[in-house]
Amino acid sequence: DAGVIQSPRHEVTEMGQEVTLRCKPISGHDYLFWYRQTMMRGLELLIYFNNNVPIDDSGMPEDRFSAKMPNASFSTLKIQPSEPRDSAVYFCASRATADLGNQPQHFGDGTRLSIL
Amino acid sequence: GDSVTQMEGPVTLSEEAFLTINCTYTATGYPSLFWYVQYPGEGLQLLLKATKADDKGSNKGFEATYRKETTSFHLEKGSVQVSDSAVYFCALSDHGNTDKLIFGTGTRLQVFP
């Protein structure tokens, strides 16, 4: 089975530009999570969806960040305008509903974002 | 709120040495506990899990026992290999909201031949 698929794997862009990160969750999974990983702050949950509906976006750092999930097989995380401090590895993860507390999250390989 | 504390890294070992990575947690109720591993350039992968007190999770020679009395979930392996070099994350499911995982800061393991 295909895992969580993220694109692009690497993105380098200049500050001020719009950045769009993409994620395809595992088929049948109805939870989708966006994380950011940096050396300074570790792994941070930005937002998560259940059945395509955003449930908790309290981790989104500011209004420059937005996330959408138009259908069960696709989600985007957008940064506009981007800033150098947004440089990080962004991970998407998905999970199935059954047995809520015990189901593991499955992570994609991440997008390494560098804002110059 | 719920939290996870891991030992600082890096942990540096020779091949075939015994490994312990400490993890303690603070939580209300009875969370599920997990260890994830992250190899260079990859996402996190579930290594093992335990869902209730005294459960032992195990996988690929790694083990961890859910200790409620000491609120710990230490990761152990009897004989590490170079291929075990990675970052290891302890995590718990938030009892108040089991949708989310709360991760520790990660511990880097370096194994040398």
Side-chain angles (χ1 to χ4, degrees), chain A residues 9 31 33 35 37 42-43 45 48 55-56 58 91 95 100-110, chain B residues 32 34 36 38 41-46 49-51 87 89 93 97-101 103-105 108:
Chain A
R9 287 299 312 276
Y31 280 85
F33 303 81
Y35 291 89
Q37 186 178 40
L43 195 64
L45 176 65
Y48 76 94
I55 303 300
D56 184 350
S58 60
F91 288 103
R95 199 198 76 199
L100 276 175
N102 304 327
Q103 283 298 314
Q105 295 181 16
H106 298 261
F107 283 74
D109 285 338
Chain B
S32 294
F34 305 82
Y36 280 80
Q38 183 179 27
E42 298 184 11
L44 281 70
Q45 304 173 25
L46 179 67
K49 68 180 184 182
T51 59
V87 180
F89 292 88
S93 63
N97 177 356
T98 54
D99 289 353
K100 298 197 290 189
L101 286 177
F103 286 91
T105 53
R108 181 175 300 277

Side-chain angles (χ1 to χ4, degrees), chain B residues 4-8 20-24 35 72-76 90 107:
Chain B
V4 174
T5 302
Q6 285 184 242
M7 62 189 291
E8 291 276 338
T20 300
I21 299 178
N22 290 338
C23 171
T24 57
W35 276 101
S72 65
F73 192 55
H74 303 322
L75 183 68
E76 296 181 335
C90 186
T107 302

